Amino acid sequence: MSESDATARRRQRTIFWVVTLSTIALVFDGYDLVIYGTILPTLLADPGQLGAITPGQGGAIGSYALVGVLVGALAAGSLGDWIGRRRIMLINLAWFSVGMGVTALTRDVTAFGIGRFVTGIGVGALVATVGALVAEFAPAGQRNRLNAIVYSGVPAGGVLAALLAIVLTDAVGWRGLFWVGALPIVLVLPLAVLKLPESPKWLASRGRFEQAKTLAERTGTTLPSASMEPPGGTRTGFPALATKALGWPTVLLGLMSFAGLLLTYGLNTWLPKIMNDNSYGKSYSLTFLLVLNLGAILGGMAASLWADRAGAKRVVATTFVMAACTLAMLPLSLPLGALLLAVAVAGVGTIGTQVLIYGLVSNYYPTRARAAGVAWCAGFGRLGGIVGPVIGGVLIGAGLGGTTAFYVFAAVAAIAAVVTLTVPRAHQTEEELPVVASTADGPHPEQASAGR
């Protein structure tokens, strides 16, 4: 076996473990974010579980996890560019698992709410970190594809939560479902300790060049030239985002994520209710949600392949337009088959688009600001995740009906498409560019894909 073949095999093995462990982590994140909704009817109906809970309190408790996600994402952004991606991943796999286990042991509403908030911190930190980690190991022509695989773990975890709730609730109760969410500390964390490497690019960005070189050789990773200074100069983390080169793009990318998560949480919360009000029976509720999320997973993967060729920005703008069109169609009297197709496409344009946004953001920033950039978009976007369900609730509570909610969501998607098109092209330097040969027609297309 030649040295180049051995290096390629080491690189493939490293990418496999990075992508696999990151995906599994986000599957459990998606599980956590959805499992509360599956047990809420039990908590509302049976005061013997945690005490009497009103619907208003139930909704507030649901938001505690989202606030925790915001805190966790911003904390990971502050620390991830300073202490490394691997440490953040390992710490928060344990944090998240302990949070789920502690929540399973709670006996009153206050303790349960605190448990949800603490668990959310771990969720947010993982969501904000895996994008930076994957971007720094993925080959240039596969970055959007691998990010899509990893972030599709979130809707996949949601599907898993819904299915396990149906199958296991009678056998293990709601506490047992939370213990399932605590499994990463025994099933995933030990494997991550053994198999998850630190990013050589991050080590190099911190001036630890000998360690970076040694780790790059062991993992088969190529270290690009560091002779050019990346955007943000010598600033690291959030301070780099405030520089002239990155300030305006950071605002626009945050707005894109805000819109994507507003649509994601708004639809996941209100789609069953709205469709039920439009004369579809309750039996269709799970079907519509499954179609929405499966459409996001499959369509998001297909869109990520396109993004690796045409550029993520162009594809995100297109999928936002797809969301605007299909959301405007959902109130129409469509045949059931056409309606399900429209819901699937809406899943691509909302949840699937958010997956693509994470990929775009992960590849937009230089190494020294990457964790902060992803954390900013995950954290600020989470505010959209809080606003989305509120918009639906206000419109429906005001008697305006689900039709108006769909039109409002469609307008948000259309505005987000325009915002996406205004994002400046990513400034790439020798530090960030992969080492690839130029072609007769100019630079290899992989070098220009991240910010188009």
Side-chain angles (χ1 to χ4, degrees), residues 6 11 13 20 30 91 95 100 107 154 173 197 207 218 222 244-245 268 278 303 322 362 392 395 399 404 414:
R11 184 178 189 180
R13 186 164 55 247
T20 298
I91 290 170
W95 184 299
M100 290 291 280
R107 297 294 174 181
V154 176
R218 180 164 63 85
T222 300
K244 182 178 179 180
N268 271 306
N278 286 343
M322 290 167 56
S362 300
L395 293 174
T404 304

Side-chain angles (χ1 to χ4, degrees), residues 250-320:
T250 294
V251 171
L252 296 176
L253 292 168
L255 291 173
M256 289 165 56
S257 185
F258 181 94
L261 286 170
L262 184 154
L263 297 171
T264 295
Y265 280 88
L267 280 177
N268 271 306
T269 300
W270 291 109
L271 181 63
K273 166 67 175 173
I274 293 173
M275 300 314 290
N276 185 60
D277 290 346
N278 286 343
S279 302
Y280 289 92
K282 293 183 179 179
S283 61
Y284 284 100
S285 296
L286 181 59
T287 300
F288 283 126
L289 281 181
L290 287 175
V291 169
L292 183 77
N293 284 279
L294 289 174
I297 295 170
L298 298 177
M301 286 299 304
S304 71
L305 297 176
W306 180 23
D308 278 328
R309 291 166 173 78
K313 188 176 83 170
R314 185 182 306 171
V315 177
V316 169
T318 302
T319 53
F320 267 134

Side-chain angles (χ1 to χ4, degrees), residues 63-153:
S63 70
Y64 294 165
L66 293 178
V67 175
V69 170
L70 172 62
V71 173
L74 296 179
S78 299
L79 297 174
D81 289 319
W82 287 96
I83 69 173
R85 289 72 163 107
R86 184 177 188 271
R87 289 180 183 175
I88 293 293
M89 285 282 290
L90 298 180
I91 290 170
N92 285 284
L93 277 170
W95 184 299
F96 162 82
S97 300
V98 171
M100 290 291 280
V102 168
T103 305
L105 296 173
T106 56
R107 297 294 174 181
D108 59 71
V109 175
T110 301
F112 183 85
I114 293 172
R116 296 297 297 140
F117 171 76
V118 170
T119 304
I121 293 175
V123 172
L126 289 172
V127 169
T129 303
V130 295
L133 187 66
V134 171
E136 288 166 10
F137 280 102
Q142 300 178 27
R143 288 172 179 169
N144 290 288
R145 184 186 327 167
L146 295 181
N147 264 284
I149 292 173
V150 169
Y151 280 101
S152 290

Side-chain angles (χ1 to χ4, degrees), residues 280 291 334-344:
Y280 289 92
V291 169
L334 299 174
L336 181 59
L339 180 61
L340 291 173
L341 178 60
V343 169

